[in-house]
Amino acid sequence: MTFTTAFAERTVATKALFERAKVTIPGGAGSTARLPRNGWKPYPLFMAEGQGSRLRDVDGNEYIDYLLGLGPMILGHRHPQVTQAVTDAVAELGTCFGLPYELEIEAAEKVVAAVPGIDQVRFTNSGSEAVGTAVRLARATTGRRLIVRFEGHYHGWQDTVYWSNHVDPELAGPIDHPRPVAMGGGVPAELQDTLVVLNWNDPESFIALMETRGHEVAAVLTEPAVFNTGCILPEPGYLELLREQTRKHGALLIFDEVITGFRFARGGAQEWFGVTADLVTYAKGIGGGFPVAAIGGTNEAMRLIADGTYSHSGTYNANVVQCAAVSATMDVLAEPGLYERQRALGNRLARGLEGIATAKGIDAYVEGIGTVFQLWFADRPIRNWRDAAAHAREDIFTRWYEEMIVRGVLFHPLQFENLFVSLVHTDEDIDATLNAAEDALSVVAREF
Ligand SMILES: Cc1ncc(COP(=O)(O)O)c(C=O)c1O
């Protein structure tokens, strides 16, 4: 049976909801990332409920969930402690005051205690907002306008940073001097002059840029490990180089930890790699699945927010749902041994998948850090976006996804996303996933 037939048979109720949704919701889903053109073919699954590491769709199919809501559900679905804390806070306090309150301080204190390198934190609503704030704050602080960023990284949808993510190499030009390319219509072309886009994991091009234009650079903005191009880890010394050069030239270093924050270590990438930034953005994970984001920084980097001369505003910033969720999530994450256990579990899955693929003669390898990784279908290591665009086999990944989804394992259908293992996945989940993978990769091996 073809995938299309098998999927159609399993998703009758989903299909009906998709048709209904398209009438009143543009495209039939609340984010463009959920549409068929972004991998969810032939149509996105409609979910009924989630519990722990599992999801159930409206047709009653159950999935082991490695999508985790695109990342935020680090504690799985409906974590009892966090859910209770949020419902209690709403019942006892309300939702939004437009003024500060004590639970907000408690949430901030716990985040600052959990993460190295930051002294202060402001809560906001989405990763895009947090990054937008960090970029403007860096410009305000330094009086400079140039932002350095890297191909293949994603920093949200705001005009200032919605550039050169999964860019067509033909449009971007030579890799030693790529052009910034806006990722969609409506982004003012003039902003091109406010950006320098570089190849990541490439010390020479970074040093050359800083030597010639370092005095113009307000900030260097980077994912500390690139999870928006599958998974690409920094080569030894690379993050240290970004740190050293930004200090030398009076620019700020911004780590966009929207994915990496609280993911594989409580202190995120700053703890894991031992390099700290001036400003750090968090979102997925910080609220255990509730909608909250944050910008953190050193006292010095947050100075203009603290004295009120930089306006970081937002009606819903630090509302009760957010602060209750953050506070409870920080408590859950403090459990001794939690990250070690789950990283080991994730590694078992990652190595298991790699082993099965290799045994079947498929060119594939895994890159990641325990609780987040990607299975790259490629015959060579992927070090940056250009490698990914040239050598990753998206066609093989699609077939792998298709053969897994019909076996009850959910992850993002695109090669340039990744698999998330929550802090509540179990050994049984991993065993069941590896069993499914054995069959799915046999099909893949036969076809390619
Ligand atoms: C690294 C990174 N930064 C920023 C964002 C934007 O966050 P949000 O979707 O919450 O606006 C994302 C979202 O995927 C991300 O992965």
Side-chain angles (χ1 to χ4, degrees), residues 126-128 131 154-157 223 228 256 258-259 283-284:
S126 70
S128 295
V131 174
Y154 176 66
H155 300 293
W157 48 261
E223 290 187 63
N228 278 293
D256 182 352
V258 163
I259 290 183
K284 306 182 185 208

Side-chain angles (χ1 to χ4, degrees), residues 31 70-72 125-131 153-158 161 221-228 255-260 281-284 292-293 417-418 420:
S31 160
L70 288 169
N125 302 286
S126 70
S128 295
E129 281 182 50
V131 174
H153 297 214
Y154 176 66
H155 300 293
W157 48 261
Q158 293 210 3
V161 291
L221 170 64
T222 186
E223 290 187 63
V226 191
F227 288 106
N228 278 293
F255 277 174
D256 182 352
E257 291 226 47
V258 163
I259 290 183
T260 56
T281 53
Y282 297 107
K284 306 182 185 208
V292 50
E417 299 285 333
N418 42 60
F420 294 112

